């Protein structure tokens, strides 16, 4: 099992560093370029949602990203300590409606095989799992 962790502040300028970190981790797994791109976009969208909703655009709050290579899957965990969003509000919207917002969950569900929100006493942990065909 391979594990890596990155902690960064909720400043949008840190998202490029996070994307590079995730891309580098994924290079060691049997994923197509499209799968890698979707995973990176999905994590970027999740971080953007944390910044926008949990931290209400504050740029000095902690985001912790853990990456795990397990037998048969890659699992990414994003942890924030901000405002919780009730689970029933995390539905997204249908992707055929043309308007801003709400497509992030659709993107995450396309990129990952499993998307779980774990509400903590303080903040939320988002667990994103991508199964590997050649586990």
């Amino acid at each position: 099992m391979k594990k890596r962790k990155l902690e960064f502040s909720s400043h949008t300028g840190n998202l490029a560093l996070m994307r590079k970190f995730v891309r580098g981790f994924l290079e060691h797994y049997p994923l197509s370029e499209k799968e890698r791109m979707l995973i990176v976009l999905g994590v970027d969208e999740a971080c953007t949602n944390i910044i926008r909703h949990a931290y209400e655009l504050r740029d000095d709050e902690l985001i912790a990203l853990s990456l795990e290579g397990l037998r048969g899957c890659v699992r990414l965990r994003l942890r924030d300590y901000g405002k919780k969003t009730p689970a029933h509000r995390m539905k997204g919207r249908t992707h055929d409606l043309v308007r801003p917002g709400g497509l992030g969950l659709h993107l995450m569900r396309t990129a990952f095989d499993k998307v779980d929100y774990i509400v903590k006493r303080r903040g939320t942990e988002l667990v994103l799992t991508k199964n590997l065909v050649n586990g």
Side-chain angles (χ1 to χ4, degrees):
M1 175 171 78
K2 186 175 179 185
K3 261 186 156 175
R4 303 228 18 225
K5 187 169 186 171
L6 177 69
E7 293 184 338
F8 55 99
S9 73
S10 56
H11 191 286
T12 55
N14 291 326
L15 295 178
L17 167 75
M18 177 279 303
R19 289 189 299 267
K20 183 177 179 182
F21 181 79
V22 173
R23 257 192 302 274
F25 181 82
L26 295 174
E27 285 176 1
H28 307 286
Y29 295 93
L31 296 161
S32 70
E33 186 54 37
K34 180 181 177 182
E35 288 172 318
R36 282 189 187 92
M37 182 186 72
L38 283 171
I39 290 169
V40 171
L41 284 173
V43 176
D44 184 78
E45 180 62 31
C47 289
T48 301
N49 285 346
I50 288 170
I51 293 167
R52 184 177 298 140
H53 301 293
Y55 291 140
E56 298 174 321
L57 302 177
R58 289 188 312 276
D59 63 5
D60 59 348
E61 300 293 331
L62 177 67
I63 298 174
L65 171 63
S66 301
L67 308 171
E68 302 170 282
L70 304 167
R71 183 181 310 220
C73 72
V74 174
R75 185 163 295 140
L76 298 88
R77 297 175 185 272
L78 270 171
R79 180 76 164 94
D80 73 72
Y81 300 89
K83 187 174 134 193
K84 299 176 208 169
T85 301
H88 71 276
R89 300 235 2 250
M90 292 191 241
K91 289 186 179 146
R93 64 172 172 82
T94 59
H95 61 279
D96 54 348
L97 291 175
V98 180
R99 65 176 171 78
L103 288 179
L105 283 172
H106 175 72
L107 173 64
M108 283 184 255
R109 289 186 180 122
T110 300
F112 296 95
D113 297 298
K114 195 167 183 209
V115 176
D116 293 310
Y117 287 92
I118 303 167
V119 178
K120 301 287 192 174
R121 190 172 60 74
R122 227 178 109 225
T124 306
E125 181 179 30
L126 172 62
V127 183
L128 303 165
T129 305
K130 176 66 178 174
N131 295 329
L132 301 172
V133 177
N134 301 332

